Amino acid sequence: MSVETVAGPALASACDDVREAVDGDSVDGVPPGHVARPASTDETAGLLRTAAELDLAVVARGAGTKLTWGTPPERVDLVLDLSRMDAVLDHAAGDLVAVAQAGCPIDRLQETLAAAGQRLAIDGTLPGTTLGGGIATNSSGPRRMLNGTFRDLMIGTTVVRADGVIAKSGGRVVKNVAGYDLGKLMTGSFGTLGVVTEAVFRLHPLPTASQVLAVDVRDATTAAALVAAVVHSDVVPTAVEVDWPAGVVAVLLEGTEQGVDSRTAATRTLLTGAGASTVDIAEQLPPWWGHHPEGVLLKLTCSLSAVGGLLQEAARQGVAVRGSAGAGVLYGGLPADAEVAAAVTVLRAFCLAAGGSLVVLAAPADVRSTVDVWGPVPALELMRAVKGQFDPHRRLSPGRFVGGI
Ligand SMILES: Cc1cc2nc3c(=O)[nH]c(=O)nc-3n(C[C@H](O)[C@H](O)[C@H](O)COP(=O)(O)OP(=O)(O)OC[C@H]3O[C@@H](n4cnc5c(N)ncnc54)[C@H](O)[C@@H]3O)c2cc1C
C-alpha cells in the first residue's frame, strides 16, 4: 500500500484536523499530499513522529505569505499549518515578558501588549503574518536598529524536532540558562531545523511620544553623511531609514515627550550640519516606512561606511533600495524583466567586499533559476553538520536553505 494511502489515516491518529492538500497548499510550486493543523505542541510532536515513521517531508506554515522565500523544497508530503496555535499564552507585564504560540499573528500579540502600554519592538508587517514565520525568516523592519530583531528579542523557544522530540530553550528571563541558545539557531533557519511552537519575548514599554525627521536628498554621498551624523551621535535614534533613489533619509525618535523634543532639536542640528537644506518633522511615519520595494526582492547588508556606495551602485543597477541605513540592512527591488542576474552579480560583489551579503529573497521561478539565491556562505560545512544533528534524514523543508540544506 503506498505511503500516500497510509499517510492520511496515520496522521489523523495524531491530530484531529488533517486533510488532503489542494492546489493552494503548494509550497513554492511543490504540491504536498496532506495538510495538518495541530492544536498544541504535543499534537505537533505526534504529527512529526508519524511523519518520521513514514519518511514524509514536512514544511511548516504560518500565514503562508513568504513560502516562496528561499529555494523551492525538493519535496513536500505534509504542510504543518500552525494557524490553530494562535494564542497569546501569557503576558507578565511586570517582567516585560510575553509567551505566545508560533501561529499567533504578530499584530494580535501587539494589540494584547498595547493594552498594558507595552510592545514587542518589531515593526508592523503584513497583516496576519505569524510569529513563527517572522522568527523562521528573521524578517525585520526599521526598529531593528535600536531594538534588534526576533533573534535578539526572543528569550525562550519551544521547538519540535523532525523526530517529534520536544526541545525547550531559554525561558522567561534574559539568558536564564547556560548552553547553546537554540532560539537564535531557529531564527532565520526557514523551518529547516525544527518547528517552533511557542516563543517567549522580552518586551519594551510603548513610547509616549515619537517624531520622524525626514530630509530630501539628491546624492548618495550626502545621504551617507546624514546617516553617519545621526548614527555616530548620542540622540539614540530608534531607526535611520533610507528610500532610494526616491532620495529620502528619515530618522525616528521615540521616548518621552520632553526627551523626544530635545532630541529632535539636536537631530535637526546634526542633519543641517551634515548637509540637509530642509528637515521636515512629523509625528506620522512616511507611507513607504517599513515596506519592502516592489519586484524581485533582494536583502542587502554592508558596513555602515559603505551605505553611500551601495546606494550609488544600486541606482546604477536600476535597483530601488529601502531599509535600515543605520544598521546596514537594506531591501532592494527591481522589475523581473530587468537584468536581474547582472545586478545581483555586481551588487553581491559590492556587499561581500563591504563585509556583508546579498540574498535573493523573492523572484519568479524563471528569474530565480538564473541566480544563486543565497550566495557564498562561510562555514557551510558546519551548518550542514548542525542540520545533520537536528534532521539527519533531511525531512524538514529539504533544499530550501543555503547550500541546498
Ligand atoms: C518588521 C517586518 C516588516 C516586514 N515588511 C514586509 C513588507 O513590507 N513586505 C513583505 O512582503 N514582507 C514583509 N515582511 C515579511 C513578512 O511579513 C514575514 O516574513 C512574515 O513574517 C512571514 O510570516 P508568515 O506567517 O506568512 O510565514 P510563512 O510564509 O507561512 O512562512 C515563512 C517561512 O517560515 C517557515 N515557518 C513558518 N512558521 C514556522 C514555524 N512555526 N516554525 C518553523 N518554521 C516556520 C516556513 O516554512 C517558511 O519557510 C516583514 C516582516 C517584518 C518582521
Side-chain angles (χ1 to χ4, degrees), residues 59-69 82 102-103 106 122-126 128-142 150 189-192 194-197 290-292 297 397 400:
V59 169
R61 180 173 73 191
T65 68
K66 292 295 171 293
L67 286 180
T68 55
W69 280 13
L82 281 295
I106 299 172
I122 290 273
D123 297 84
T125 168
L126 298 183
T129 58
T130 65
L131 292 167
I135 294 164
T137 56
N138 198 31
S139 307
S140 64
F150 279 106
S189 66
F190 281 68
T192 56
V195 176
V196 177
T197 56
H291 292 291
H292 295 163
L297 186 65
S397 295
R400 306 223 67 187

Side-chain angles (χ1 to χ4, degrees), residues 136-151:
T137 56
N138 198 31
S139 307
S140 64
R143 289 185 174 84
R144 66 166 298 144
M145 191 190 124
L146 182 65
N147 304 308
T149 69
F150 279 106
R151 183 171 283 127

